[in-house]
Amino acid sequence: MSKVLVTGGCGYIGSHTIISLIESGYEPISIDNLSNSYEESLERVFQITGKKVKNHRIDLCDAPSLHTVFDQYDDIQGIIHFAALKAVGESVEKPLLYFRNNLNSLLNVMDQANRKGIDHVIFSSSCTVYGQATDLPVTEETEMKEAESPYGRTKQLSEYILKDLSEIWGINALSLRYFNPAGAHPSGLLGEAPRVAALNLVPVITETAAGKRDTCVVFGDDYDTRDGSCIRDYIHVMDLADAHTKALTYLLQNKHSSNYEVFNLGIGQGVTVLESIQAFERVTGQKLKYEIGPRRPGDVVAIYSNYDKAKKHLGWMPRFGIDDIMKSAWQWELNRDF
Ligand code: UD1
């Protein structure tokens, strides 16, 4: 069994990916400082898969501690690096925090990969690297425009750093550009469980419907889109998890054609905020209390993916759509107990 180090393994996408890795015969090990996650998620992984996953509770910016963790293993085949801060608004308020945390952690992880001869690295990037894209859908060839936030800039910079290091050191690295991950594991045992209040659309919708928030504010209905609200490409977290497992296998089977490659991971469908709310109401039978508010600074008007490259090279296809996302997110909202 190939050992895989997963940073941010207790987090939302990390924990769902760990399930997919286990189901494909990999042996994941987590590193997570629990700054925005709970180790309980690995308990849920155990309930779902029957496999115990160890978490090393250290901060990736703490280089000596990271060194010690890497020295506990001699047979790690690959690293999937999820851990990062991801609140766009907070990154504008605290840019240094984002640059320090997201960049130092990547540098430290790469330093260890190089020292230990770990040749395969997968990085959590984001469609945010495209900035205000005008040519839709975006392909991997679409140029990166200016980042809209320091968060977005950390993703762009991380991609460049990874590209240079992988070429210089001969390591194989992939940047996976996620569109909007949402939804939960079909068992209802695991879903998005941040420590800080969620700001993303789908948890805001489910928390409002569950009475945990007063209302859901639609950030602007005067954009130049079919109903005036912003367009995004929502991808089910289990599809995203599956893409990571396929990406790792792709690297380990030497199917890549260069040291550094990027892949879009979306489902190729643009959905407006108002359509998302309608989908939620349709599949759950709940009436959502929402209101139209002002535009949110930094929001991109519309973005959705072309995922042909992932389909062709990784053999990946999304299996779920917005209805499955809303159904599973609602089930998790009702079950959530950590
Ligand atoms: C952004 C980034 C994404 C990043 C994510 C991290 C872009 C294009 N995307 O996603 O890469 O990983 O942040 O958090 O930069 N909305 C409302 N009301 C709400 C919440 C959201 O109307 O209460 C709207 C937003 O205006 C947006 C859509 O819902 O149009 C999705 O917003 P959100 O879930 O916050 O994700 P992004 O901002 O698209």
Side-chain angles (χ1 to χ4, degrees):
M1 273 207 295
S2 297
K3 283 201 177 72
V4 187
L5 220 134
V6 179
T7 76
C10 299
Y12 176 43
I13 307 170
S15 58
H16 288 78
T17 298
I18 282 178
I19 293 172
S20 167
L21 289 168
I22 291 171
E23 287 171 349
S24 294
Y26 289 104
E27 190 185 333
I29 299 145
S30 167
I31 298 182
D32 196 312
N33 68 356
L34 309 182
S35 67
N36 195 22
S37 61
Y38 298 93
E39 258 170 11
E40 180 63 27
S41 59
L42 294 182
E43 186 50 41
R44 302 306 165 96
V45 167
F46 175 66
Q47 288 175 27
I48 293 164
T49 66
K51 292 274 193 292
K52 287 256 183 232
V53 175
K54 160 102 185 138
N55 181 52
H56 295 271
R57 186 179 181 176
I58 60 147
D59 193 319
L60 297 174
C61 293
D62 173 359
S65 297
L66 191 61
H67 190 107
T68 306
V69 169
F70 271 81
D71 272 351
Q72 290 178 36
Y73 304 96
D74 280 323
D75 50 353
I76 291 169
Q77 303 292 308
I79 300 171
I80 308 183
H81 179 44
F82 290 104
L85 297 175
K86 64 154 192 119
V88 176
E90 184 187 47
S91 80
V92 179
E93 285 159 30
K94 301 174 184 167
L96 267 185
L97 173 71
Y98 273 68
F99 288 128
R100 282 209 179 99
N101 184 77
N102 290 3
L103 298 177
N104 281 335
S105 55
L106 174 72
L107 298 178
N108 289 342
V109 166
M110 291 306 288
D111 193 12
Q112 295 305 321
N114 187 40
R115 183 177 71 86
K116 297 292 286 185
I118 302 167
D119 285 339
H120 307 293
V121 179
I122 294 174
F123 173 66
S124 288
S125 189
S126 163
C127 67
T128 196
V129 300
Y130 296 111
Q132 289 281 3
T134 43
D135 249 353
L136 298 177
V138 292
T139 73
E140 292 79 358
E141 307 305 317
T142 302
E143 64 159 345
M144 289 192 201
K145 296 240 176 85
E146 284 298 319
E148 289 289 312
S149 67
Y151 160 78
R153 185 70 81 194
T154 68
K155 293 296 178 191
Q156 292 180 334
L157 292 169
S158 296
E159 286 202 8
Y160 283 122
I161 290 168
L162 210 52
K163 179 173 193 290
D164 288 350
L165 292 181
S166 56
E167 282 164 7
I168 294 166
W169 289 339
I171 283 177
N172 303 307
L174 303 179
S175 287
L176 304 184
R177 294 176 177 166
Y178 315 153
F179 283 69
N180 285 57
H185 191 268
S187 64
L189 289 167
L190 185 64
E192 189 166 6
R195 278 181 196 266
V196 300
L199 299 170
N200 296 111
L201 180 64
V202 176
V204 167
I205 290 176
T206 60
E207 286 177 14
T208 305
K212 295 178 187 166
R213 291 175 189 252
D214 289 341
T215 181
C216 166
V217 179
V218 175
F219 296 143
D221 70 346
D222 56 351
Y223 286 99
D224 183 18
T225 60
R226 52 186 173 266
D227 62 20
S229 62
C230 291
I231 293 178
R232 295 289 184 276
D233 181 348
Y234 297 90
I235 172 171
H236 196 292
V237 68
M238 291 315 297
D239 276 333
L240 200 51
D242 174 44
H244 285 78
T245 303
K246 290 198 159 72
L248 181 67
T249 305
Y250 170 82
L251 286 182
L252 293 175
Q253 293 180 348
N254 268 311
K255 291 192 172 149
H256 48 284
S257 49
S258 65
N259 283 113
Y260 177 75
E261 293 178 31
V262 303
F263 289 98
N264 281 344
L265 294 177
I267 73 166
Q269 283 163 29
V271 176
T272 70
V273 176
L274 292 169
E275 288 165 354
S276 305
I277 292 173
Q278 285 154 16
F280 173 80
E281 291 185 330
R282 189 175 59 247
V283 301
T284 64
Q286 299 290 313
K287 195 94 198 102
L288 187 76
K289 226 174 113 196
Y290 71 90
E291 59 194 73
I292 309 295
R295 293 181 176 194
R296 181 171 68 174
D299 257 339
V300 169
V301 180
I303 192 157
Y304 54 95
S305 67
N306 171 309
Y307 66 87
D308 287 352
K309 190 174 170 193
K311 185 175 167 190
K312 182 165 172 216
H313 296 281
L314 306 181
W316 173 80
M317 278 282 285
R319 293 164 295 169
F320 304 109
I322 190 74
D323 287 5
D324 310 294
I325 286 173
M326 290 301 182
K327 215 180 286 171
S328 62
W330 179 236
Q331 188 190 8
W332 169 242
E333 185 64 61
L334 297 176
N335 289 0
R336 184 177 168 184
D337 52 358
F338 72 93

